[in-house]
Each structure stands twice: as structure tokens, then as C-alpha cells.
Amino acid sequence: MARFTCPLSSSTTDIVILSIFVLLLRSSLFVSAVIGDPSTIILHPPHAGSNRHTMFLPLFPSPPNSSRISSFSGNGKSRRHLQKSDTSRPNARMALHDDLLLHGYYTTRLWIGSPPQKFALIVDTGSTVTYVPCITCEQCGKHQDPKFDPDSSTTYQPVKCNIDCTCDYERKQCVYERQYAEMSSSSGVLGEDIVSFGNRSELSPQRAIFGCENAETGDLYSQHADGIMGLGRGDLSIVDQLVDRGVISDSFSLCYGGMDIGGGAMVLGSVSPPSGMIYAYSDPVRSPYYNIELKELRVAGKRLPLSPSVFDGKHGTVLDSGTTYAYLPEAAFLAFKEAVLKELHTVKQIRGPDPSYNDICFSGAGSDASQLMKIFPKVEMVFGKGHKLTLSPENYLFRHSRVHGAYCLGVFQNGKDPTTLLGGIIVRNTFVMYDREHDKIGFWKTNCSDLWARLHNSGAPSSDMSPSPSPMGTPGHISPGSKVGSIIFYMFLNLKYSKLEPHIIELTELIAQGLHVNISQVYLLDFTWEGNESLTIWSITPPKPYEYMSNTTASNIIARIAEGEIKLPKRFGKYRISNWFIESDPNRTWVKNYMGVMIVFILILIFGVAGVVGWWFWRQKRPGGGILYRPVDSVVYEQELQPL
């Protein structure tokens, strides 16, 4: 879990003290002052519990002087709630990348500036600021994309110092700072520029305020992702800024892919809710987090013997996309663990992958995640008014990294903190709609890897689990259990092949760069041409020969192909991808095809030679060692001496 520090100006100290006092009365929030800096407030969230690829990026209330944008009118009411939902407003529909348990987060792509500069940002409902590394940052790590260069953008403007923000030492520009419990931090200046959401989005580019990092430490320094996309409640949140401008409705949605698949979909703005969506009330006044009204838990249809108040301690039940696992209060965790153990009969409890943690793991379940329902019980979360959300095993289990076919509980005790924290594992393969305008959060079980294509082709997610037909197939979706030997795609270029042929090697390098693979993985399988157009057929293979590509890696490559991430210079002309598909067997040369026969032949040869050598040594070890002895009384024939 993270913590947030905010240096306060003297003009707002009274307001902040009053706000903290109210929070203490309502939610028993633990507040302390930094030694040597009494004006800095630290909010301590729940204990982390485990650090294995786990992200803790929760929401904290923005300070009153957090930015020059204000979403409140003079009467103290939010202007957003005075606006009525308008289904005609466009949406920003974006793909999600990476995998929650492999990387600890999901990312989306955001383009900032003119011309646009691309960034991979962690999607976090618990953060209120969107920030990327600035080119002037000397204390930033090496991330996925180049740092943001304000001087290269013709539309960039610094947010000048004003009474509604924290200013730098020269009082020229607004600054921000975020610190996290695992000792990572981000700080920098605030700027404003045009933000684009990709060519798949209906929403046109919009001006927005974001952080330009000058320093980062800890996990933020070492992570592959470039920065954070803040979706929490706060003036600097990208959602709040778009809502305040009236360009989207006060809603957004996330859909995380399932176990071993990754990817998913994200929508800024509202979509028509599908039939069968389960809603939970979310009280924006109760806590600064996205909380839900959880009343009880059931395991295998049996209610845990817990009072509803167990899930209402401190901040209540918090839904946080930036946290990987789920964390329950002590009483709820012990009851949940005991109930799950009682339902398991065919698996054996084993040690976890990391001896530093007392993980609860089980072996003997098999590697096919789709069969886990036959072994592990279903879990139900019951909200207010009796609405129930059913969780499958992938919503509370993660794979054991060292034992094949073993799984561990992804639900932990939240130390002594009474807050219930539900991370991304709980909502895998669940379409989650954060309907902030109506103070509710909706849940709908679906295949999130398919949802991206359906959201792009229609205005609302369909209740049909099968994907909609698309000329590009289903971007990023690989069926569970599929073996990916290679990815094949067709590329049409508006260029004569005679002009294309000398640049094939360069084209190969550009494809490898756009798909984030090594050039050794990219092969030109075939080509043809007609008039001024050339057709090339390409294959993307696994990094190592004879091996399969992981489903997550394949999904990310396919998503990049579908999103047009292959960037070509003007001399290649325009291009389009007409089709893609996967092959279950890795691409094989003649040597690979007959490798099995060659190996058998070599083994036979080795065993044959070993047999002859062994027979010779056996003869040598026999009495006499292979030398023929004659009886002492035998006749010895005279032998003629040979000349030297």
C-alpha cells in the first residue's frame, strides 16, 4: 500500500487540519507528521503483506491546493453531479496490456504532446495524478518508452504557480509529489498538453494537466512501465479533468484478463450496462477510496460466520486496481481460509514459492486453469440488497512459480488493519463499471480478453461470451491452454516490390521495434505484388527455438499489431494489416523437422560405441586380462630373432 505526502502552504493549514480531523472521526485514519517537517502529512494505508510483483498504488485525497483545476462550485457541490449523463458523449476506448500477477500491474497507452509522444502507464484507480518521466529527469530509471520532451511539443504549457497549487522554490511552476510505503516516490512539475487516447478511441485529443517527473525512486524507478495513469477521485485525475470539461460522462470501466492471458479493456466515459450486471453502492463521502458495500462472504454456498461490520472497518471495503492481491481483516481472513481448506479433498498443501512468506499453496490441481472449478470452491461476495458476485478460482488463486500444477491463495490477512482491500485479482475476467455519477460500481463476469474487440465494434458489451467477428480477429486474445508456436500476419504496403526489396532488412527491424521483439524473431515468409501494392507475410516466433510463446507475450504482440504500433517512415508508404492468426507449432526448418530422427540416430550411434567399448573393458577385466597363458609344462617353440 502506498502513502502520499503533500507539503502544505500556510494559507491552507487550517483547512487541512479540519479535513484531517473529519477523516479521523469518520474512518480512524492514522495520521502522523514527518520529523523535521510538521507541515507534511503522511497517510498510512494497510500493511502490504507481500511484495512479489505486487503494486500498492491506492488513492489518497488531493490537498486543497493540488492544482488550478477546481471541480467545486461556490456552494460546495461538485459540478459533475449537476451534469446529467449523456449517452451521446464519446468514449475513450483503450486496450490494456501486461499481466497483473506477472508484472504486478496493467498498462494502457497514452499519447502526450504535439507531435504525440507515446507512454505505457499503469492503470490505477488509487492514484489521482497522471505522470510520466521528463527528459530533464536525471533520477529516473530506464523505462519502456523515451522520456517526455516538453520542448518537442508545440502545445506544451507549464502550469504556472498560483494559489491553488504547491509551487516550486522559485514560485514559478506548480509541483507535485507522491511517496509510497515501499519507499518509492515520484516528484516533478505540473504541465498541460494535448493528451490522445489512440486511434481506436472515439474521444478526440484533449488538453489535460499531468506530472512531468524530475525524480523517482524504488519500484517506480525500476519498473518497465513509464508512469501512472491516475483514475482516482481528485482534481488532477484524468477522469475528473475530462468530466469537468464535459467531454465524457462521469464514469469509467476496467476489464482485466484472466489467469495466464492478461490484457483486457478500458473505457473512459459511460457505456450501456449489460444485462445481468451486479451493482454495489459506493459512498464517495465514506472514504476517499472507491469503496463498495460488502455484507458477507460465502464459500461453497455457505455463509462465513461473520458480522457485516467486519467489512466496514476503517475505510470499509476498498476496490483498488493498483493493488495486486486481496487483503481481509484478521477475522475474515481466518474464516475464509478455514472454509476453503474444508472444501479441498484432492490436493495437498505445500510450501509457497517464497520462504519469506507463509503462503497457503496446494499441489495436484493440474495446469489447466479451466478445470480448477472442479477442485476449488466457488466464492460469493454479497453486497447490499442481497446482490451476489460469484468468484471463480482464478479470482482468488495464483500459480505457484516453482511447482507445476500448484496454486496459492491470493487472499491475505491485512495485518491488524480492519480495512478490506480488494485488488485486481478479485476482478479478473470481470467488467467493472465505476459509475461515479450514480455512486455505484457494477460487476459483470465476462471474458475480458474478448471485450476489447466488442467495445470497439459496438456501443455496449454484449452478454454473449463469443467475440464479435472482426477482420483482424480478436486483438490480444489467446484461448486458455493454447500453444503459440508463431504469430502470422499479412501486411499490405502501397509500394512497388522493386522499391521495397532493398529495404526488407530495415522493414524487419521496424517490425521488431514496433512489436517489442528481437529482430531474430521476425521472419519474412512470403511476398507477392500487384501494380503498386506489395503483400508481405510475416512470422513472429518465440525467442528460443523449439519453444512455445507464452500466452501473455502473444496477446501483447497481437494487441500491438491490431493497434498499429508498427511505425514506418514515409518512404514505405501507407500500410495495412489484413489478417493475423497463430500457429500451434513453432516454425521449423528442414533441420528442425528431422531433428527427432537425427537425435535417435545419434543416440543409437552413441549407445553402439559405448557397447563396444564396454565389451572391450569387460574382456580386459577377465582373468588373464586378455593374455593367453600356457601351462608351465607346455612346449615352447623356438622363435627366430628378428633383426633390429
Side-chain angles (χ1 to χ4, degrees):
M1 204 71 172
R3 64 183 182 181
F4 162 70
T5 63
C6 174
L8 304 175
S9 61
S10 58
S11 62
T12 60
T13 302
D14 294 337
I15 298 176
V16 173
I17 292 176
L18 178 60
S19 301
I20 294 172
F21 178 73
V22 173
L23 286 172
L24 282 168
L25 291 178
R26 294 187 60 83
S27 57
S28 302
L29 185 64
F30 181 73
V31 182
S32 64
V34 177
I35 297 176
D37 186 4
S39 65
T40 301
I41 305 300
I42 301 180
L43 306 181
H44 297 267
H47 178 64
S50 173
N51 64 355
R52 67 174 79 74
H53 296 293
T54 306
M55 295 296 293
F56 296 95
L57 301 170
L59 170 67
F60 289 96
S62 297
N65 294 347
S66 60
S67 77
R68 69 178 184 178
I69 297 178
S70 176
S71 61
F72 293 90
S73 58
N75 60 4
K77 295 182 179 180
S78 171
R79 290 201 308 268
R80 288 188 299 275
H81 292 284
L82 298 179
Q83 301 173 357
K84 299 299 182 181
S85 59
D86 184 0
T87 56
S88 64
R89 289 179 181 148
N91 296 320
R93 301 175 181 179
M94 308 157 74
L96 295 181
H97 306 271
D98 301 303
D99 181 85
L100 185 70
L101 298 190
L102 290 179
H103 306 94
Y105 51 73
Y106 281 100
T107 61
T108 191
R109 304 295 183 259
L110 208 63
W111 287 260
I112 303 176
S114 303
Q117 302 174 44
K118 185 185 71 171
F119 299 97
L121 303 182
I122 297 173
V123 174
D124 185 22
T125 60
S127 292
T128 56
V129 181
T130 296
Y131 53 82
V132 298
C134 218
I135 196 170
T136 56
C137 182
E138 297 180 354
Q139 301 179 41
C140 291
K142 185 178 180 181
H143 302 296
Q144 181 169 326
D145 298 293
K147 299 174 183 176
F148 178 73
D149 185 1
D151 294 335
S152 297
S153 175
T154 59
T155 50
Y156 175 82
Q157 292 180 352
V159 178
K160 296 181 180 180
C161 179
N162 60 82
I163 61 173
D164 292 327
C165 76
T166 301
C167 300
D168 58 12
Y169 293 114
E170 299 178 354
R171 301 196 65 80
K172 291 184 177 180
Q173 190 169 357
C174 294
V175 298
Y176 79 95
E177 181 179 4
R178 294 295 183 270
Q179 294 183 353
Y180 300 93
E182 71 276 8
M183 304 308 294
S184 63
S185 65
S186 170
S187 61
V189 298
L190 293 179
E192 186 179 38
D193 208 334
I194 293 179
V195 175
S196 304
F197 308 95
N199 54 12
R200 303 277 177 173
S201 172
E202 299 174 354
L203 183 63
S204 61
Q206 301 290 326
R207 294 198 67 86
I209 293 177
F210 65 98
C212 198
E213 282 185 309
N214 287 328
E216 57 186 15
T217 63
D219 290 343
L220 295 176
Y221 182 92
S222 59
Q223 70 188 15
H224 187 56
D226 299 313
I228 301 294
M229 184 176 185
L231 301 174
R233 291 188 178 104
D235 293 343
L236 289 177
S237 166
I238 190 70
V239 178
D240 285 66
Q241 294 189 56
L242 295 176
V243 171
D244 287 340
R245 292 179 180 272
V247 295
I248 65 170
S249 300
D250 196 4
S251 176
F252 69 93
S253 303
L254 295 173
C255 203
Y256 289 172
M259 185 180 289
D260 303 329
I261 297 178
M266 170 181 169
V267 182
L268 297 180
S270 64
V271 294
S272 299
S275 60
M277 176 166 275
I278 303 300
Y279 290 99
Y281 173 65
S282 181
D283 185 358
V285 181
R286 164 65 202 277
S287 78
Y289 305 94
Y290 288 115
N291 58 74
I292 56 177
E293 192 179 22
L294 181 62
K295 294 298 185 181
E296 62 181 76
L297 283 178
R298 297 178 183 176
V299 176
K302 304 170 186 175
R303 180 182 180 276
L304 299 185
L306 298 168
S307 169
S309 61
V310 171
F311 305 107
D312 198 38
K314 200 172 182 177
H315 299 297
T317 298
V318 175
L319 193 63
D320 184 14
S321 70
T323 298
T324 307
Y325 301 101
Y327 298 85
L328 302 179
E330 182 177 10
F333 170 73
L334 295 176
F336 176 79
K337 180 183 70 172
E338 182 181 358
V340 171
L341 291 176
K342 284 183 178 180
E343 299 297 326
L344 301 180
H345 309 290
T346 61
V347 293
K348 177 183 177 182
Q349 189 169 346
I350 60 174
R351 292 182 176 272
D354 191 339
S356 303
Y357 304 99
N358 296 321
D359 290 331
I360 303 171
C361 304
F362 312 94
S363 64
S367 59
D368 189 353
S370 64
Q371 301 300 312
L372 294 180
M373 283 291 292
K374 299 178 181 179
I375 302 172
F376 294 91
K378 72 174 182 179
V379 175
E380 293 173 306
M381 294 195 306
V382 183
F383 305 128
K385 298 182 179 180
H387 296 162
K388 294 186 297 184
L389 175 65
T390 301
L391 306 180
S392 60
E394 71 171 351
N395 296 121
Y396 63 86
L397 295 175
F398 65 93
R399 285 191 184 274
H400 197 296
S401 59
R402 296 188 177 183
V403 180
H404 183 71
Y407 300 84
C408 305
L409 282 182
V411 179
F412 304 94
Q413 180 178 330
N414 199 10
K416 297 299 180 180
D417 194 321
T419 300
T420 299
L421 181 61
L422 303 180
I425 190 173
I426 294 293
V427 291
R428 287 199 292 194
N429 271 339
T430 305
F431 181 74
V432 183
M433 179 185 295
Y434 294 79
D435 187 350
R436 310 192 322 169
E437 181 177 352
H438 301 100
D439 297 333
K440 61 183 180 180
I441 297 178
F443 302 88
W444 180 61
K445 296 292 292 183
T446 186
N447 189 328
C448 289
S449 297
D450 287 340
L451 184 69
W452 188 90
R454 282 182 275 143
L455 285 176
H456 181 65
N457 292 327
S458 62
S462 168
S463 58
D464 183 8
M465 292 292 290
S466 60
S468 300
S470 171
M472 282 291 294
T474 307
H477 172 58
I478 307 294
S479 300
S482 298
K483 293 184 177 181
V484 182
S486 62
I487 300 172
I488 312 295
F489 65 92
Y490 292 69
M491 174 184 284
F492 286 90
L493 297 103
N494 293 332
L495 189 66
K496 289 183 178 180
Y497 187 76
S498 58
K499 295 183 179 181
L500 174 63
E501 188 175 14
H503 303 287
I504 287 295
I505 295 178
E506 181 185 1
L507 180 58
T508 305
E509 294 174 348
L510 292 170
I511 291 174
Q513 181 180 353
L515 301 183
H516 299 175
V517 299
N518 295 325
I519 190 172
S520 60
Q521 296 177 245
V522 183
Y523 292 91
L524 177 62
L525 297 182
D526 200 359
F527 60 86
T528 185
W529 65 92
E530 181 177 351
N532 294 330
E533 189 172 61
S534 301
L535 168 62
T536 54
I537 304 176
W538 298 88
S539 172
I540 310 299
T541 62
K544 296 181 180 180
Y546 325 123
E547 292 187 357
Y548 291 101
M549 194 181 299
S550 72
N551 286 1
T552 300
T553 301
S555 297
N556 289 337
I557 291 174
I558 292 169
R560 294 185 185 108
I561 293 173
E563 292 183 353
E565 301 249 346
I566 302 174
K567 306 298 182 183
L568 303 182
K570 291 183 178 179
R571 62 177 173 275
F572 285 95
K574 295 182 179 180
Y575 81 90
R576 72 179 190 276
I577 307 296
S578 66
N579 193 18
W580 66 263
F581 58 91
I582 63 173
E583 286 191 348
S584 57
D585 292 329
N587 291 343
R588 299 176 180 270
T589 62
W590 181 89
V591 175
K592 296 176 184 177
N593 286 328
Y594 292 95
M595 183 61 70
V597 177
M598 294 171 63
I599 292 175
V600 171
F601 176 78
I602 292 173
L603 289 176
I604 292 175
L605 183 62
I606 292 174
F607 281 115
V609 173
V612 173
V613 173
W615 175 82
W616 186 83
F617 276 105
W618 176 75
R619 288 295 304 272
Q620 293 297 316
K621 291 181 180 180
R622 290 181 59 190
I627 302 177
L628 298 178
Y629 289 91
R630 294 184 176 89
V632 294
D633 57 349
S634 63
V635 178
V636 177
Y637 296 96
E638 184 177 351
Q639 297 182 357
E640 182 178 340
L641 294 176
Q642 301 295 322
L644 293 174

